[in-house]
Amino acid sequence: MTGTAPRLSGPDLALACGVTTLPVSALITSPTGSGKTHLAREAARHALTCGERVIVTVPTKALAHEIARTWADLPGRVQAFTRGQPSPPYRAAQVLIMTPERLDLVTRRWRRHHPWLARVGLLITDEIHTISDPARGAALDAALTRLRAALPLLRVLALTATCGNPRVLADWLGALHIGGGIRPMPLTWTARTVRAVADKPAALQRVLTPGESTLVFVHGRQRAADLAAQLQTAGHASAAHHAGLTPDTRAKVEANFRAGHTRVLIATPTLEVGVNLPAEHVVLYDLTTFGPDGRQELTVNAAWQRAGRAGRPGATRAQVTVLGTRAEQPGQYERGRFEPLGSPLSRGEHLLGFLLGCVDGGYTRTRAQATRMAQQTFAAHTGTLNAPRAVATLLQQGALADHGGVLSVTPLGRVASQALLPVPVVAAVRALPQDPTVLDVLLAAAAHVRLPSLGDESRATLVDALMSVPSRTLDAGTAPPDAVIGAALLHATTHHGDDGAAELSGLHEPTLTALREEALRIVSAWHALAPSVSVNLTRVSLAAQLPPRTATLALLSGVGQVTARTLSDAGVPDLPTLARTFPAQLTAAGFTPRTAERLIGAAQAYGPIPLTEPTPAPCARRVLADPARLARARLLTVTPTAHGWTVTGGSEGRIVTRHGDTLTCDCPDSVHLCKHILAVGLHLI
């Protein structure tokens, strides 16, 4: 029998070559939907049958849980390890799925994990192109570099659909490169040019086909919400999908899209990788964004990752429409000229964190070893980095110590390394005022978190809530305005929960959760480095979303948010009160006699908790305001009168009068500290 043998490429070629069974590393560059995930699962299956463990890295928590669910039929326990989700010990799983940040932390503690880590024979790195991500790529580079140093015989299977320099990446991994591959459903591209960005909403409606499942990619949450609302008004079954949705809401939105109840999904880049939604049509709507680095164009790599969502299993066609102005050149993306991958690890704090983790984990003990370790990173493979200068910086910061040429981590360095935080952020605990209040700790932590944008009215309401809260920093007038706003948001989460703070601020609940968790990580590191009552109480207050007084109850082992609130509702507002409570009061609130006695006994054994804090000094807080209101106050003119001050320069003049230590204004503003009172306060300084 004669004939032509089929030409194999991509995942099919990898299977034919025995990549899943041979002791080799491989980089597979193949289009989305061409079978890379199937190849990875078969490789994991073979490793498990050989008695090995498998680590899988993915860029998002959502993708980690999706892979854990779809790979559950493998011959071994498959477990996703993500923050905020209960999980068993690492040693209990045979396939461990985690984000790069989690693996980075594991490699810093490899000695602790050695009993199970030594059995890992295969590392599967999905979406390895994210090694170029400015925010998260450094963690992937660091984790891969350290893990390969700890396990020299480790096999790596790296997967991506978008890589402009595959040979360079394969050379760094010491891997075979297998490219090509065919999508079961080829993409059909169409570029639509509009005269201006303002014309895009109308253009979007013209390209939509009734009944067709469509994913529309935009850059921001507000854009997603606005477009979804516009399409709903026009009669399209549409919804928004972004990181600002709660997990339950996001799952419901995805389920409605899969079931066909929602036909048009407006999504931010959270859906760019991994999660499989059966879309027939993908629209690339935003091709330009404006961020901290100015105007940025959508990369070809990102465009193809988004386009790859079209034609996934369950779809009947794969259409991609690119909407752009002439300047945005929407036609450039179809050519698929992918950008070469690099790594941000060589930049600033990323390199410092990597080298600190290497010394903390015992990978390096001298400056020469640190330099050699840095040269093994992808950042060094594709560019340059200055390891000696980074080591010198760590020594200057007090994170490392040099004992006759031997490097070691200091207590400050170890806490910073294990918390995955920059050294100066951890060292900031030393700048807290003497005997700080909880709000002082929140103000200090808020100076190191990323703040979301807030409207003027929301800022005023939140900041005014701090006027009566004890704080030595506020009384001294040394708190930066942005830190005040951040502390006001954190204060709201501890008094009203993330959901209540979201209502007060107008922000999405997950945004407040992320802010609180970021502050909690900082405060927890401070508590590890310099334990104190106020820092510990702030930590518990943030973790349990409880006011500081109620949070004292959660200082007890086994008492969480629900139990603490139940005790508070039963007339037990704090730990000292609990120590004086009779068991009958708790049993009347629903606690069993045994639990009541245990809680009261634990409170009595805990010892005294100082709850007395300084009385706020209103006069010293006259300039406490959000930056926008403070800026407006600086533009006003203040003229003293016999009974107070006249403030002009706004829409109309106002009168501010003094009553003891309190200033009042005749304006209709509902905020406690209006711009007119602020202007008088500035005048008096």
Side-chain angles (χ1 to χ4, degrees):
M1 183 175 179
T2 62
T4 303
R7 183 178 180 180
L8 301 178
S9 62
D12 291 334
L13 178 59
L15 283 170
C17 292
V19 166
T20 60
T21 58
L22 295 177
V24 296
S25 294
L27 167 66
I28 312 297
T29 56
S30 181
T32 53
S34 60
K36 295 188 298 295
T37 302
H38 172 71
L39 173 70
R41 182 163 55 184
E42 291 308 303
R45 187 187 304 278
H46 177 77
L48 293 173
T49 59
C50 294
E52 296 177 329
R53 280 189 167 93
V54 179
I55 293 178
V56 182
T57 66
V58 292
T60 65
K61 293 191 292 185
L63 184 54
H65 290 287
E66 179 170 299
I67 291 180
R69 184 176 62 254
T70 56
W71 288 22
D73 62 335
L74 290 178
R77 181 167 185 173
V78 180
Q79 181 68 47
F81 293 88
T82 60
R83 188 174 60 184
Q85 296 289 333
S87 56
Y90 292 117
R91 64 178 182 274
Q94 283 70 50
V95 179
L96 302 93
I97 308 170
M98 57 186 73
T99 60
E101 291 79 8
R102 175 62 72 98
L103 183 58
D104 183 10
L105 187 58
V106 167
T107 61
R108 293 170 189 244
R109 303 172 175 175
W110 70 272
R111 285 190 174 89
R112 179 187 307 178
H113 300 300
H114 185 265
W116 67 265
L117 194 61
R119 297 291 301 275
V120 174
L122 175 65
L123 170 68
I124 298 173
T125 302
D126 196 12
E127 314 288 3
I128 196 173
H129 59 272
T130 56
I131 201 169
S132 286
D133 186 277
R136 308 186 68 182
L140 180 57
D141 191 355
L144 293 182
T145 300
R146 287 202 207 95
L147 188 63
R148 293 167 63 208
L151 303 174
L153 300 181
L154 179 73
R155 304 187 311 283
V156 179
L157 178 58
L159 313 171
T160 182
T162 53
C163 177
N165 53 345
R167 292 184 179 179
V168 173
L169 181 57
D171 180 62
W172 176 65
L173 293 171
L176 300 173
H177 170 229
I178 300 178
I182 301 173
R183 283 179 57 97
M185 193 176 298
L187 298 176
T188 301
W189 290 74
T190 302
R192 298 291 179 93
T193 303
V194 296
R195 296 182 61 182
V197 172
D199 297 326
K200 284 190 177 184
L204 173 61
Q205 294 199 40
R206 288 195 295 270
V207 303
L208 295 178
T209 301
E212 184 177 63
S213 58
T214 304
L215 278 175
V216 181
F217 279 99
V218 298
H219 279 317
R221 300 177 186 181
Q222 194 58 51
R223 173 95 78 191
D226 291 345
L227 269 183
Q230 292 176 24
L231 292 177
Q232 287 172 359
T233 302
H236 295 278
S238 59
H241 185 289
H242 52 74
L245 303 179
T246 63
D248 289 344
T249 301
R250 190 159 59 244
K252 183 177 180 180
V253 168
E254 293 173 3
N256 285 339
F257 188 73
R258 285 190 175 98
H261 304 312
T262 299
R263 304 309 298 171
V264 183
L265 196 59
I266 315 298
T268 57
T270 53
L271 280 183
E272 185 176 303
V273 293
V275 177
N276 177 35
L277 291 176
E280 298 166 302
H281 188 187
V282 166
V283 179
L284 304 183
Y285 186 94
D286 280 333
L287 307 184
T288 306
T289 186
F290 295 88
D293 298 327
R295 183 177 182 272
Q296 296 176 326
E297 294 183 355
L298 179 69
T299 64
V300 177
N301 289 358
W304 275 75
Q305 284 294 331
R306 298 176 188 186
R309 304 305 104 193
R312 302 303 285 261
T316 58
R317 74 185 188 113
Q319 175 68 38
V320 181
T321 301
V322 188
L323 297 179
T325 62
R326 188 178 300 276
E328 290 176 323
Q329 304 180 52
Q332 67 174 308
Y333 295 100
E334 181 180 358
R335 294 190 289 270
R337 295 174 181 170
F338 302 133
E339 295 90 357
L341 302 182
S343 168
L345 186 138
S346 60
R347 304 171 194 164
E349 291 294 342
H350 293 317
L351 180 57
L352 296 177
F354 169 71
L355 290 175
L356 180 60
C358 289
V359 179
D360 185 27
Y363 297 88
T364 60
R365 282 289 178 262
T366 66
R367 297 173 190 243
Q369 290 175 350
T371 298
R372 286 196 295 272
M373 193 72 182
Q375 291 303 316
Q376 296 176 28
T377 64
F378 189 57
H381 196 73
T382 55
T384 59
L385 45 75
N386 193 330
R389 185 170 63 185
V391 171
T393 299
L394 290 169
L395 288 165
Q396 184 180 21
Q397 291 177 340
L400 294 181
D402 188 334
H403 302 283
V406 178
L407 298 175
S408 63
V409 290
T410 64
L412 170 62
R414 174 154 287 115
V415 171
S417 175
Q418 299 302 315
L420 302 181
L421 287 171
V423 174
V425 173
V426 179
V429 67
R430 298 168 177 167
L432 287 173
Q434 186 176 4
D435 192 19
T437 68
V438 168
L439 182 53
D440 289 330
V441 180
L442 291 179
L443 285 163
H448 302 286
V449 299
R450 296 180 294 272
L451 293 180
S453 299
L454 276 175
D456 290 348
E457 184 176 349
S458 297
R459 281 187 298 201
T461 301
L462 291 164
V463 169
D464 283 344
L466 300 184
M467 288 296 293
S468 60
V469 181
S471 167
R472 289 180 168 79
T473 305
L474 291 185
D475 290 344
T478 57
D482 283 348
V484 173
I485 295 173
L489 285 169
L490 295 171
H491 178 268
T493 65
T494 60
H495 284 70
H496 308 287
D498 294 343
D499 53 347
E503 293 182 11
L504 288 171
S505 63
L507 298 171
H508 296 287
E509 182 181 339
T511 301
L512 271 303
T513 301
L515 178 73
R516 180 179 54 79
E517 289 179 345
E518 189 175 0
L520 175 60
R521 187 156 62 101
I522 293 171
V523 175
S524 297
W526 289 351
H527 178 63
L529 181 65
S532 70
V533 173
S534 57
V535 171
N536 190 31
L537 191 55
T538 306
R539 178 185 66 84
V540 174
S541 181
L542 287 169
Q545 300 176 61
L546 294 170
R549 187 177 181 186
T550 309
T552 60
L553 296 165
L555 291 172
L556 298 179
S557 177
V559 176
Q561 181 184 39
V562 174
T563 302
R565 290 194 185 280
T566 303
L567 288 168
S568 181
D569 293 341
V572 184
D574 51 49
L575 192 59
T577 304
L578 177 60
R580 300 189 301 269
T581 300
F582 291 103
Q585 184 176 346
L586 300 189
T587 55
F591 292 95
T592 66
R594 181 177 179 180
T595 300
E597 291 182 5
R598 178 180 62 81
L599 290 173
I600 294 170
Q604 293 171 344
Y606 196 89
I609 297 290
L611 295 177
T612 303
E613 294 188 315
T615 302
C619 293
R621 298 191 184 183
R622 286 176 185 151
V623 295
L624 173 59
D626 65 90
R629 201 163 13 130
L630 189 58
R632 291 196 296 270
R634 296 183 191 278
L635 301 176
L636 300 178
T637 301
V638 178
T639 305
T641 67
H643 303 288
W645 300 266
T646 299
V647 183
T648 58
S651 57
E652 53 184 298
R654 294 296 177 187
I655 302 297
V656 176
T657 55
R658 184 196 295 272
H659 301 277
D661 287 335
T662 303
L663 299 179
T664 59
C665 180
D666 64 352
C667 74
D669 289 356
S670 61
V671 298
H672 178 76
L673 200 61
C674 67
K675 61 185 178 183
H676 312 102
I677 294 178
L678 273 173
V680 172
L682 291 169
H683 174 76
L684 294 175
I685 294 177

